[in-house]
Amino acid sequence: MKIGFIGLGNMGAPMAANLAKAHDVTGFDTAAKPAGLTLAESAAAAAKNADVVITMLPNGDILRAVASDIHPVMKPGAVHLDCSTVDVESARAVAMAAQNAGLSAVDAPVSGGIGGATNGTLTFMAGGPDKAFATVQPLFDIMGQKAVHCGDAGNGQAAKICNNMILGVTMIATCEAFVLADKLGLDRQAMFDVVSTSSGYSWTMNAYCPAPGVGPTSPADNDYTPGFAAELMLKDLNLSQMAAEAADADTPMGKAATALYAQFVEDEDGMGKDFSAMLPRFESRRRA
Ligand code: NAD
């Protein structure tokens, strides 16, 4: 397959490198120039003649701008596969623009981070027509371990932000419970042993425990080096609140988590730390 790959940052570069082992890939990025990949002079040049154009970009505004550059030059019937995490509205607008240009679009944000991108073990949550999903399925198989077709355009983004809203809320709940346990004189290992096998269990406790030295190895055991950075969690929580606003959904826990991560990243020392560093944050505080 002939593939154009636009956005060769932390995630895009290793995803493109994995695809290039099996397909003809031409990449473009306004700043990054990763070695070992065929590069084009512009997004349009990378997209022209491609069967599938993949974008992996920072946000919805940039995605919309790139889409308006590439759609007019893309081959009729080609697929625009966007793997960025963006707002649902931008994903749906780009899908509509693709359709109007005689193309099809799939929004397929990922979970799995830079490790997953490098090892080809990402999970994709996809929205778009069945036929376009089938066209890009072999590419999901190379870049990832699982792809779930969640329905029409925008539903991939919807699934991603709902998942990450649960993740952000759960991480905060897990961290504050650890700090309460500390203050009540409960040993962290005992806390883990009980909760991880009781009704309070969760992915944040069982697989990504925010307490150093407890549970499986996690960023907490590496001085909270990400992993999944607090500012990326904040980005996804903000997207969840934009979507909740637009859809008139009441999400008080999501709203509270967004405010807490905003404070942590913007006013405290959370920037650049793993999102589980909420635990030392709570540890250093007293009841407000
Ligand atoms: P990044 O900032 O490392 O990469 C984005 C790249 O896009 C940069 O290299 C930048 O130069 C390029 N770019 C910006 N504007 C461009 C344009 N107009 N044309 C071409 N290239 C342009 O970010 P990342 O970590 O690779 O993340 C990419 C997307 O994946 C984001 O939407 C992010 O939310 C999502 N994501 C990231 C992670 C992660 O762990 N890093 C995990 C899941 C999802």
Side-chain angles (χ1 to χ4, degrees), residues 1 51-54 74 77-82 95 98-99 102-108 126-140 143 147-153:
M1 219 183 267
D51 304 299
V52 175
V53 179
I54 302 176
M74 280 172 66
V79 179
H80 177 184
L81 169 60
D82 178 51
Q99 200 183 335
L103 310 164
S104 50
V106 175
D107 58 290
D130 290 341
K131 188 162 172 260
F133 181 80
T135 304
V136 297
Q137 177 88 61
L139 308 184
F140 290 146
M143 297 185 285
V148 181
H149 192 187
C150 303
D152 293 340

PDB file of all heavy atoms in Angstrom, residues 1 51-54 74 77-82 95 98-99 102-108 126-140 143 147-153:
ATOM      1  N   MET A   1       0.853  -1.193   0.000  1.00  0.00           N
ATOM      2  CA  MET A   1       0.000   0.000   0.000  1.00  0.00           C
ATOM      3  C   MET A   1       0.886   1.239   0.000  1.00  0.00           C
ATOM      4  O   MET A   1       1.956   1.232   0.609  1.00  0.00           O
ATOM      5  CB  MET A   1      -0.851  -0.010   1.273  1.00  0.00           C
ATOM      6  CG  MET A   1      -2.265   0.457   1.062  1.00  0.00           C
ATOM      7  SD  MET A   1      -3.176   0.512   2.636  1.00  0.00           S
ATOM      8  CE  MET A   1      -3.959  -1.087   2.683  1.00  0.00           C
ATOM      9  N   ASP A  51      -2.700   5.700  -1.088  1.00  0.00           N
ATOM     10  CA  ASP A  51      -3.970   4.985  -0.888  1.00  0.00           C
ATOM     11  C   ASP A  51      -4.574   5.365   0.464  1.00  0.00           C
ATOM     12  O   ASP A  51      -5.782   5.450   0.627  1.00  0.00           O
ATOM     13  CB  ASP A  51      -3.731   3.468  -0.907  1.00  0.00           C
ATOM     14  CG  ASP A  51      -3.049   3.033  -2.195  1.00  0.00           C
ATOM     15  OD1 ASP A  51      -3.647   3.253  -3.257  1.00  0.00           O
ATOM     16  OD2 ASP A  51      -1.910   2.524  -2.134  1.00  0.00           O
ATOM     17  N   VAL A  52      -3.687   5.556   1.443  1.00  0.00           N
ATOM     18  CA  VAL A  52      -4.110   5.957   2.788  1.00  0.00           C
ATOM     19  C   VAL A  52      -3.186   7.065   3.269  1.00  0.00           C
ATOM     20  O   VAL A  52      -1.963   6.946   3.141  1.00  0.00           O
ATOM     21  CB  VAL A  52      -4.025   4.769   3.781  1.00  0.00           C
ATOM     22  CG1 VAL A  52      -4.342   5.227   5.204  1.00  0.00           C
ATOM     23  CG2 VAL A  52      -4.947   3.635   3.360  1.00  0.00           C
ATOM     24  N   VAL A  53      -3.764   8.145   3.795  1.00  0.00           N
ATOM     25  CA  VAL A  53      -2.947   9.191   4.421  1.00  0.00           C
ATOM     26  C   VAL A  53      -3.251   9.195   5.912  1.00  0.00           C
ATOM     27  O   VAL A  53      -4.415   9.325   6.330  1.00  0.00           O
ATOM     28  CB  VAL A  53      -3.243  10.586   3.831  1.00  0.00           C
ATOM     29  CG1 VAL A  53      -2.395  11.643   4.536  1.00  0.00           C
ATOM     30  CG2 VAL A  53      -2.957  10.601   2.337  1.00  0.00           C
ATOM     31  N   ILE A  54      -2.203   9.009   6.699  1.00  0.00           N
ATOM     32  CA  ILE A  54      -2.358   8.982   8.159  1.00  0.00           C
ATOM     33  C   ILE A  54      -1.892  10.324   8.719  1.00  0.00           C
ATOM     34  O   ILE A  54      -0.848  10.840   8.313  1.00  0.00           O
ATOM     35  CB  ILE A  54      -1.517   7.837   8.775  1.00  0.00           C
ATOM     36  CG1 ILE A  54      -1.946   6.501   8.158  1.00  0.00           C
ATOM     37  CG2 ILE A  54      -1.667   7.810  10.296  1.00  0.00           C
ATOM     38  CD1 ILE A  54      -1.129   5.302   8.622  1.00  0.00           C
ATOM     39  N   MET A  74      -5.625  14.487  -2.764  1.00  0.00           N
ATOM     40  CA  MET A  74      -5.639  13.033  -2.540  1.00  0.00           C
ATOM     41  C   MET A  74      -6.352  12.304  -3.679  1.00  0.00           C
ATOM     42  O   MET A  74      -7.243  12.853  -4.319  1.00  0.00           O
ATOM     43  CB  MET A  74      -6.287  12.699  -1.179  1.00  0.00           C
ATOM     44  CG  MET A  74      -5.318  12.890  -0.010  1.00  0.00           C
ATOM     45  SD  MET A  74      -6.106  12.725   1.618  1.00  0.00           S
ATOM     46  CE  MET A  74      -6.585  11.004   1.656  1.00  0.00           C
ATOM     47  N   GLY A  77     -11.214   8.275  -3.683  1.00  0.00           N
ATOM     48  CA  GLY A  77     -11.460   7.002  -2.987  1.00  0.00           C
ATOM     49  C   GLY A  77     -10.442   6.670  -1.913  1.00  0.00           C
ATOM     50  O   GLY A  77     -10.605   5.690  -1.186  1.00  0.00           O
ATOM     51  N   ALA A  78      -9.383   7.489  -1.804  1.00  0.00           N
ATOM     52  CA  ALA A  78      -8.368   7.207  -0.780  1.00  0.00           C
ATOM     53  C   ALA A  78      -8.946   7.457   0.623  1.00  0.00           C
ATOM     54  O   ALA A  78      -9.996   8.088   0.778  1.00  0.00           O
ATOM     55  CB  ALA A  78      -7.140   8.090  -1.008  1.00  0.00           C
ATOM     56  N   VAL A  79      -8.252   6.941   1.620  1.00  0.00           N
ATOM     57  CA  VAL A  79      -8.735   7.057   3.006  1.00  0.00           C
ATOM     58  C   VAL A  79      -7.835   7.999   3.799  1.00  0.00           C
ATOM     59  O   VAL A  79      -6.604   7.858   3.776  1.00  0.00           O
ATOM     60  CB  VAL A  79      -8.753   5.679   3.712  1.00  0.00           C
ATOM     61  CG1 VAL A  79      -9.229   5.810   5.157  1.00  0.00           C
ATOM     62  CG2 VAL A  79      -9.636   4.691   2.957  1.00  0.00           C
ATOM     63  N   HIS A  80      -8.443   8.943   4.504  1.00  0.00           N
ATOM     64  CA  HIS A  80      -7.716   9.772   5.474  1.00  0.00           C
ATOM     65  C   HIS A  80      -7.929   9.140   6.842  1.00  0.00           C
ATOM     66  O   HIS A  80      -9.034   9.157   7.380  1.00  0.00           O
ATOM     67  CB  HIS A  80      -8.250  11.213   5.437  1.00  0.00           C
ATOM     68  CG  HIS A  80      -7.601  12.101   6.468  1.00  0.00           C
ATOM     69  ND1 HIS A  80      -7.977  13.409   6.684  1.00  0.00           N
ATOM     70  CD2 HIS A  80      -6.588  11.875   7.335  1.00  0.00           C
ATOM     71  CE1 HIS A  80      -7.232  13.933   7.651  1.00  0.00           C
ATOM     72  NE2 HIS A  80      -6.380  13.016   8.069  1.00  0.00           N
ATOM     73  N   LEU A  81      -6.853   8.584   7.390  1.00  0.00           N
ATOM     74  CA  LEU A  81      -6.907   7.925   8.707  1.00  0.00           C
ATOM     75  C   LEU A  81      -6.240   8.847   9.728  1.00  0.00           C
ATOM     76  O   LEU A  81      -5.021   9.045   9.690  1.00  0.00           O
ATOM     77  CB  LEU A  81      -6.152   6.587   8.632  1.00  0.00           C
ATOM     78  CG  LEU A  81      -5.866   5.866   9.952  1.00  0.00           C
ATOM     79  CD1 LEU A  81      -7.152   5.521  10.693  1.00  0.00           C
ATOM     80  CD2 LEU A  81      -5.058   4.585   9.695  1.00  0.00           C
ATOM     81  N   ASP A  82      -7.047   9.450  10.594  1.00  0.00           N
ATOM     82  CA  ASP A  82      -6.472  10.339  11.613  1.00  0.00           C
ATOM     83  C   ASP A  82      -6.327   9.597  12.929  1.00  0.00           C
ATOM     84  O   ASP A  82      -7.327   9.126  13.483  1.00  0.00           O
ATOM     85  CB  ASP A  82      -7.340  11.587  11.803  1.00  0.00           C
ATOM     86  CG  ASP A  82      -6.735  12.462  12.897  1.00  0.00           C
ATOM     87  OD1 ASP A  82      -5.522  12.745  12.808  1.00  0.00           O
ATOM     88  OD2 ASP A  82      -7.444  12.799  13.856  1.00  0.00           O
ATOM     89  N   ALA A  95     -14.181  14.454   8.674  1.00  0.00           N
ATOM     90  CA  ALA A  95     -14.804  13.322   7.966  1.00  0.00           C
ATOM     91  C   ALA A  95     -15.770  13.835   6.899  1.00  0.00           C
ATOM     92  O   ALA A  95     -15.817  13.315   5.776  1.00  0.00           O
ATOM     93  CB  ALA A  95     -15.538  12.426   8.960  1.00  0.00           C
ATOM     94  N   ALA A  98     -13.800  15.208   4.023  1.00  0.00           N
ATOM     95  CA  ALA A  98     -13.249  14.111   3.216  1.00  0.00           C
ATOM     96  C   ALA A  98     -14.324  13.569   2.279  1.00  0.00           C
ATOM     97  O   ALA A  98     -14.088  13.380   1.080  1.00  0.00           O
ATOM     98  CB  ALA A  98     -12.728  12.997   4.130  1.00  0.00           C
ATOM     99  N   GLN A  99     -15.510  13.369   2.825  1.00  0.00           N
ATOM    100  CA  GLN A  99     -16.613  12.843   2.014  1.00  0.00           C
ATOM    101  C   GLN A  99     -16.929  13.782   0.848  1.00  0.00           C
ATOM    102  O   GLN A  99     -17.108  13.347  -0.285  1.00  0.00           O
ATOM    103  CB  GLN A  99     -17.835  12.678   2.913  1.00  0.00           C
ATOM    104  CG  GLN A  99     -18.861  11.736   2.343  1.00  0.00           C
ATOM    105  CD  GLN A  99     -20.096  11.653   3.245  1.00  0.00           C
ATOM    106  OE1 GLN A  99     -20.026  11.893   4.452  1.00  0.00           O
ATOM    107  NE2 GLN A  99     -21.216  11.333   2.658  1.00  0.00           N
ATOM    108  N   GLY A 102     -14.710  13.374  -2.079  1.00  0.00           N
ATOM    109  CA  GLY A 102     -14.687  12.052  -2.736  1.00  0.00           C
ATOM    110  C   GLY A 102     -13.747  11.069  -2.056  1.00  0.00           C
ATOM    111  O   GLY A 102     -13.285  10.101  -2.667  1.00  0.00           O
ATOM    112  N   LEU A 103     -13.468  11.310  -0.778  1.00  0.00           N
ATOM    113  CA  LEU A 103     -12.563  10.447  -0.006  1.00  0.00           C
ATOM    114  C   LEU A 103     -13.361   9.814   1.112  1.00  0.00           C
ATOM    115  O   LEU A 103     -14.522  10.153   1.336  1.00  0.00           O
ATOM    116  CB  LEU A 103     -11.433  11.284   0.606  1.00  0.00           C
ATOM    117  CG  LEU A 103     -10.689  12.227  -0.342  1.00  0.00           C
ATOM    118  CD1 LEU A 103      -9.891  13.251   0.457  1.00  0.00           C
ATOM    119  CD2 LEU A 103      -9.760  11.424  -1.242  1.00  0.00           C
ATOM    120  N   SER A 104     -12.733   8.946   1.900  1.00  0.00           N
ATOM    121  CA  SER A 104     -13.377   8.563   3.153  1.00  0.00           C
ATOM    122  C   SER A 104     -12.419   8.781   4.302  1.00  0.00           C
ATOM    123  O   SER A 104     -11.209   8.921   4.098  1.00  0.00           O
ATOM    124  CB  SER A 104     -13.915   7.140   3.118  1.00  0.00           C
ATOM    125  OG  SER A 104     -12.932   6.273   2.673  1.00  0.00           O
ATOM    126  N   ALA A 105     -12.982   8.840   5.494  1.00  0.00           N
ATOM    127  CA  ALA A 105     -12.172   9.174   6.664  1.00  0.00           C
ATOM    128  C   ALA A 105     -12.458   8.203   7.795  1.00  0.00           C
ATOM    129  O   ALA A 105     -13.586   7.727   7.957  1.00  0.00           O
ATOM    130  CB  ALA A 105     -12.484  10.598   7.121  1.00  0.00           C
ATOM    131  N   VAL A 106     -11.408   7.912   8.561  1.00  0.00           N
ATOM    132  CA  VAL A 106     -11.547   7.128   9.785  1.00  0.00           C
ATOM    133  C   VAL A 106     -10.829   7.897  10.885  1.00  0.00           C
ATOM    134  O   VAL A 106      -9.682   8.310  10.690  1.00  0.00           O
ATOM    135  CB  VAL A 106     -10.910   5.718   9.631  1.00  0.00           C
ATOM    136  CG1 VAL A 106     -10.962   4.957  10.954  1.00  0.00           C
ATOM    137  CG2 VAL A 106     -11.592   4.929   8.528  1.00  0.00           C
ATOM    138  N   ASP A 107     -11.514   8.156  12.005  1.00  0.00           N
ATOM    139  CA  ASP A 107     -10.811   8.721  13.165  1.00  0.00           C
ATOM    140  C   ASP A 107     -10.479   7.540  14.068  1.00  0.00           C
ATOM    141  O   ASP A 107     -11.354   6.734  14.394  1.00  0.00           O
ATOM    142  CB  ASP A 107     -11.639   9.790  13.896  1.00  0.00           C
ATOM    143  CG  ASP A 107     -12.987   9.288  14.383  1.00  0.00           C
ATOM    144  OD1 ASP A 107     -13.857   9.032  13.520  1.00  0.00           O
ATOM    145  OD2 ASP A 107     -13.173   9.134  15.603  1.00  0.00           O
ATOM    146  N   ALA A 108      -9.188   7.423  14.419  1.00  0.00           N
ATOM    147  CA  ALA A 108      -8.764   6.254  15.200  1.00  0.00           C
ATOM    148  C   ALA A 108      -7.686   6.654  16.198  1.00  0.00           C
ATOM    149  O   ALA A 108      -6.503   6.346  16.019  1.00  0.00           O
ATOM    150  CB  ALA A 108      -8.253   5.157  14.271  1.00  0.00           C
ATOM    151  N   ALA A 126     -11.892   3.250  16.639  1.00  0.00           N
ATOM    152  CA  ALA A 126     -12.098   3.854  15.326  1.00  0.00           C
ATOM    153  C   ALA A 126     -13.548   4.220  15.061  1.00  0.00           C
ATOM    154  O   ALA A 126     -14.466   3.514  15.466  1.00  0.00           O
ATOM    155  CB  ALA A 126     -11.611   2.881  14.258  1.00  0.00           C
ATOM    156  N   GLY A 127     -13.724   5.336  14.333  1.00  0.00           N
ATOM    157  CA  GLY A 127     -15.038   5.747  13.845  1.00  0.00           C
ATOM    158  C   GLY A 127     -14.961   5.975  12.347  1.00  0.00           C
ATOM    159  O   GLY A 127     -13.978   6.547  11.863  1.00  0.00           O
ATOM    160  N   GLY A 128     -15.994   5.531  11.613  1.00  0.00           N
ATOM    161  CA  GLY A 128     -16.004   5.745  10.164  1.00  0.00           C
ATOM    162  C   GLY A 128     -16.710   4.599   9.469  1.00  0.00           C
ATOM    163  O   GLY A 128     -17.117   3.630  10.113  1.00  0.00           O
ATOM    164  N   PRO A 129     -16.871   4.711   8.132  1.00  0.00           N
ATOM    165  CA  PRO A 129     -17.610   3.691   7.389  1.00  0.00           C
ATOM    166  C   PRO A 129     -16.914   2.322   7.404  1.00  0.00           C
ATOM    167  O   PRO A 129     -15.683   2.256   7.461  1.00  0.00           O
ATOM    168  CB  PRO A 129     -17.651   4.233   5.952  1.00  0.00           C
ATOM    169  CG  PRO A 129     -16.970   5.541   5.960  1.00  0.00           C
ATOM    170  CD  PRO A 129     -16.368   5.795   7.291  1.00  0.00           C
ATOM    171  N   ASP A 130     -17.703   1.243   7.324  1.00  0.00           N
ATOM    172  CA  ASP A 130     -17.170  -0.130   7.352  1.00  0.00           C
ATOM    173  C   ASP A 130     -16.081  -0.348   6.303  1.00  0.00           C
ATOM    174  O   ASP A 130     -15.052  -0.963   6.586  1.00  0.00           O
ATOM    175  CB  ASP A 130     -18.302  -1.152   7.054  1.00  0.00           C
ATOM    176  CG  ASP A 130     -19.292  -1.244   8.210  1.00  0.00           C
ATOM    177  OD1 ASP A 130     -18.933  -0.829   9.329  1.00  0.00           O
ATOM    178  OD2 ASP A 130     -20.422  -1.712   7.975  1.00  0.00           O
ATOM    179  N   LYS A 131     -16.325   0.164   5.084  1.00  0.00           N
ATOM    180  CA  LYS A 131     -15.411  -0.111   3.974  1.00  0.00           C
ATOM    181  C   LYS A 131     -14.045   0.525   4.261  1.00  0.00           C
ATOM    182  O   LYS A 131     -13.001  -0.091   4.050  1.00  0.00           O
ATOM    183  CB  LYS A 131     -16.018   0.451   2.682  1.00  0.00           C
ATOM    184  CG  LYS A 131     -15.269   0.060   1.447  1.00  0.00           C
ATOM    185  CD  LYS A 131     -16.132   0.246   0.183  1.00  0.00           C
ATOM    186  CE  LYS A 131     -15.271   0.035  -1.055  1.00  0.00           C
ATOM    187  NZ  LYS A 131     -14.842   1.274  -1.675  1.00  0.00           N
ATOM    188  N   ALA A 132     -14.057   1.751   4.761  1.00  0.00           N
ATOM    189  CA  ALA A 132     -12.789   2.430   5.046  1.00  0.00           C
ATOM    190  C   ALA A 132     -12.080   1.750   6.218  1.00  0.00           C
ATOM    191  O   ALA A 132     -10.852   1.593   6.222  1.00  0.00           O
ATOM    192  CB  ALA A 132     -13.052   3.903   5.363  1.00  0.00           C
ATOM    193  N   PHE A 133     -12.861   1.313   7.204  1.00  0.00           N
ATOM    194  CA  PHE A 133     -12.270   0.588   8.340  1.00  0.00           C
ATOM    195  C   PHE A 133     -11.579  -0.679   7.831  1.00  0.00           C
ATOM    196  O   PHE A 133     -10.449  -0.992   8.229  1.00  0.00           O
ATOM    197  CB  PHE A 133     -13.343   0.237   9.379  1.00  0.00           C
ATOM    198  CG  PHE A 133     -12.805  -0.486  10.589  1.00  0.00           C
ATOM    199  CD1 PHE A 133     -12.175   0.204  11.612  1.00  0.00           C
ATOM    200  CD2 PHE A 133     -12.907  -1.872  10.686  1.00  0.00           C
ATOM    201  CE1 PHE A 133     -11.652  -0.472  12.727  1.00  0.00           C
ATOM    202  CE2 PHE A 133     -12.386  -2.554  11.789  1.00  0.00           C
ATOM    203  CZ  PHE A 133     -11.763  -1.848  12.817  1.00  0.00           C
ATOM    204  N   ALA A 134     -12.230  -1.391   6.911  1.00  0.00           N
ATOM    205  CA  ALA A 134     -11.636  -2.629   6.372  1.00  0.00           C
ATOM    206  C   ALA A 134     -10.354  -2.324   5.606  1.00  0.00           C
ATOM    207  O   ALA A 134      -9.384  -3.079   5.681  1.00  0.00           O
ATOM    208  CB  ALA A 134     -12.648  -3.330   5.460  1.00  0.00           C
ATOM    209  N   THR A 135     -10.328  -1.189   4.901  1.00  0.00           N
ATOM    210  CA  THR A 135      -9.118  -0.822   4.140  1.00  0.00           C
ATOM    211  C   THR A 135      -7.927  -0.610   5.068  1.00  0.00           C
ATOM    212  O   THR A 135      -6.808  -1.002   4.755  1.00  0.00           O
ATOM    213  CB  THR A 135      -9.375   0.483   3.330  1.00  0.00           C
ATOM    214  OG1 THR A 135     -10.499   0.278   2.501  1.00  0.00           O
ATOM    215  CG2 THR A 135      -8.165   0.897   2.510  1.00  0.00           C
ATOM    216  N   VAL A 136      -8.174   0.037   6.215  1.00  0.00           N
ATOM    217  CA  VAL A 136      -7.041   0.374   7.099  1.00  0.00           C
ATOM    218  C   VAL A 136      -6.751  -0.708   8.152  1.00  0.00           C
ATOM    219  O   VAL A 136      -5.736  -0.636   8.834  1.00  0.00           O
ATOM    220  CB  VAL A 136      -7.228   1.757   7.780  1.00  0.00           C
ATOM    221  CG1 VAL A 136      -7.270   2.850   6.730  1.00  0.00           C
ATOM    222  CG2 VAL A 136      -8.467   1.798   8.650  1.00  0.00           C
ATOM    223  N   GLN A 137      -7.627  -1.711   8.231  1.00  0.00           N
ATOM    224  CA  GLN A 137      -7.420  -2.781   9.235  1.00  0.00           C
ATOM    225  C   GLN A 137      -6.014  -3.400   9.181  1.00  0.00           C
ATOM    226  O   GLN A 137      -5.377  -3.586  10.234  1.00  0.00           O
ATOM    227  CB  GLN A 137      -8.503  -3.855   9.064  1.00  0.00           C
ATOM    228  CG  GLN A 137      -8.362  -5.047   9.990  1.00  0.00           C
ATOM    229  CD  GLN A 137      -9.058  -4.832  11.332  1.00  0.00           C
ATOM    230  OE1 GLN A 137     -10.268  -4.642  11.382  1.00  0.00           O
ATOM    231  NE2 GLN A 137      -8.296  -4.853  12.401  1.00  0.00           N
ATOM    232  N   PRO A 138      -5.471  -3.703   7.976  1.00  0.00           N
ATOM    233  CA  PRO A 138      -4.118  -4.285   7.941  1.00  0.00           C
ATOM    234  C   PRO A 138      -3.057  -3.341   8.523  1.00  0.00           C
ATOM    235  O   PRO A 138      -2.029  -3.808   9.037  1.00  0.00           O
ATOM    236  CB  PRO A 138      -3.853  -4.528   6.450  1.00  0.00           C
ATOM    237  CG  PRO A 138      -5.165  -4.423   5.762  1.00  0.00           C
ATOM    238  CD  PRO A 138      -6.088  -3.635   6.632  1.00  0.00           C
ATOM    239  N   LEU A 139      -3.324  -2.036   8.454  1.00  0.00           N
ATOM    240  CA  LEU A 139      -2.358  -1.080   9.019  1.00  0.00           C
ATOM    241  C   LEU A 139      -2.475  -1.072  10.542  1.00  0.00           C
ATOM    242  O   LEU A 139      -1.472  -0.978  11.260  1.00  0.00           O
ATOM    243  CB  LEU A 139      -2.583   0.326   8.444  1.00  0.00           C
ATOM    244  CG  LEU A 139      -2.633   0.399   6.912  1.00  0.00           C
ATOM    245  CD1 LEU A 139      -2.772   1.844   6.447  1.00  0.00           C
ATOM    246  CD2 LEU A 139      -1.383  -0.230   6.300  1.00  0.00           C
ATOM    247  N   PHE A 140      -3.700  -1.189  11.049  1.00  0.00           N
ATOM    248  CA  PHE A 140      -3.887  -1.323  12.503  1.00  0.00           C
ATOM    249  C   PHE A 140      -3.138  -2.560  13.004  1.00  0.00           C
ATOM    250  O   PHE A 140      -2.538  -2.550  14.071  1.00  0.00           O
ATOM    251  CB  PHE A 140      -5.377  -1.469  12.864  1.00  0.00           C
ATOM    252  CG  PHE A 140      -6.216  -0.233  12.659  1.00  0.00           C
ATOM    253  CD1 PHE A 140      -7.545  -0.339  12.254  1.00  0.00           C
ATOM    254  CD2 PHE A 140      -5.699   1.031  12.900  1.00  0.00           C
ATOM    255  CE1 PHE A 140      -8.343   0.790  12.081  1.00  0.00           C
ATOM    256  CE2 PHE A 140      -6.489   2.170  12.733  1.00  0.00           C
ATOM    257  CZ  PHE A 140      -7.802   2.037  12.325  1.00  0.00           C
ATOM    258  N   MET A 143       0.522  -1.597  13.342  1.00  0.00           N
ATOM    259  CA  MET A 143       0.832  -0.571  14.360  1.00  0.00           C
ATOM    260  C   MET A 143       0.324  -0.948  15.745  1.00  0.00           C
ATOM    261  O   MET A 143       0.733  -0.360  16.740  1.00  0.00           O
ATOM    262  CB  MET A 143       0.226   0.782  13.961  1.00  0.00           C
ATOM    263  CG  MET A 143       0.788   1.362  12.674  1.00  0.00           C
ATOM    264  SD  MET A 143       0.141   3.011  12.336  1.00  0.00           S
ATOM    265  CE  MET A 143      -1.517   2.651  11.787  1.00  0.00           C
ATOM    266  N   ALA A 147      -7.933  -3.229  17.358  1.00  0.00           N
ATOM    267  CA  ALA A 147      -8.671  -2.081  16.830  1.00  0.00           C
ATOM    268  C   ALA A 147     -10.156  -2.354  17.022  1.00  0.00           C
ATOM    269  O   ALA A 147     -10.646  -3.411  16.642  1.00  0.00           O
ATOM    270  CB  ALA A 147      -8.353  -1.878  15.354  1.00  0.00           C
ATOM    271  N   VAL A 148     -10.844  -1.420  17.655  1.00  0.00           N
ATOM    272  CA  VAL A 148     -12.286  -1.588  17.880  1.00  0.00           C
ATOM    273  C   VAL A 148     -13.019  -0.583  17.003  1.00  0.00           C
ATOM    274  O   VAL A 148     -12.738   0.624  17.077  1.00  0.00           O
ATOM    275  CB  VAL A 148     -12.650  -1.335  19.366  1.00  0.00           C
ATOM    276  CG1 VAL A 148     -14.144  -1.528  19.589  1.00  0.00           C
ATOM    277  CG2 VAL A 148     -11.853  -2.253  20.280  1.00  0.00           C
ATOM    278  N   HIS A 149     -13.936  -1.086  16.174  1.00  0.00           N
ATOM    279  CA  HIS A 149     -14.735  -0.187  15.338  1.00  0.00           C
ATOM    280  C   HIS A 149     -15.934   0.282  16.168  1.00  0.00           C
ATOM    281  O   HIS A 149     -16.812  -0.510  16.506  1.00  0.00           O
ATOM    282  CB  HIS A 149     -15.190  -0.927  14.076  1.00  0.00           C
ATOM    283  CG  HIS A 149     -15.761  -0.005  13.053  1.00  0.00           C
ATOM    284  ND1 HIS A 149     -16.361  -0.440  11.909  1.00  0.00           N
ATOM    285  CD2 HIS A 149     -15.802   1.353  12.984  1.00  0.00           C
ATOM    286  CE1 HIS A 149     -16.766   0.599  11.193  1.00  0.00           C
ATOM    287  NE2 HIS A 149     -16.440   1.699  11.833  1.00  0.00           N
ATOM    288  N   CYS A 150     -15.939   1.576  16.496  1.00  0.00           N
ATOM    289  CA  CYS A 150     -16.922   2.095  17.469  1.00  0.00           C
ATOM    290  C   CYS A 150     -18.138   2.732  16.806  1.00  0.00           C
ATOM    291  O   CYS A 150     -18.993   3.276  17.504  1.00  0.00           O
ATOM    292  CB  CYS A 150     -16.252   3.135  18.366  1.00  0.00           C
ATOM    293  SG  CYS A 150     -14.822   2.512  19.243  1.00  0.00           S
ATOM    294  N   GLY A 151     -18.194   2.723  15.463  1.00  0.00           N
ATOM    295  CA  GLY A 151     -19.358   3.313  14.794  1.00  0.00           C
ATOM    296  C   GLY A 151     -18.939   4.383  13.812  1.00  0.00           C
ATOM    297  O   GLY A 151     -17.861   4.308  13.215  1.00  0.00           O
ATOM    298  N   ASP A 152     -19.797   5.407  13.684  1.00  0.00           N
ATOM    299  CA  ASP A 152     -19.594   6.427  12.659  1.00  0.00           C
ATOM    300  C   ASP A 152     -18.492   7.417  13.023  1.00  0.00           C
ATOM    301  O   ASP A 152     -17.921   7.359  14.113  1.00  0.00           O
ATOM    302  CB  ASP A 152     -20.910   7.192  12.455  1.00  0.00           C
ATOM    303  CG  ASP A 152     -21.974   6.298  11.836  1.00  0.00           C
ATOM    304  OD1 ASP A 152     -21.591   5.267  11.243  1.00  0.00           O
ATOM    305  OD2 ASP A 152     -23.164   6.618  11.976  1.00  0.00           O
ATOM    306  N   ALA A 153     -18.260   8.358  12.114  1.00  0.00           N
ATOM    307  CA  ALA A 153     -17.209   9.374  12.282  1.00  0.00           C
ATOM    308  C   ALA A 153     -17.304  10.054  13.647  1.00  0.00           C
ATOM    309  O   ALA A 153     -18.396  10.436  14.087  1.00  0.00           O
ATOM    310  CB  ALA A 153     -17.339  10.416  11.184  1.00  0.00           C
TER     311      ALA A 153
END
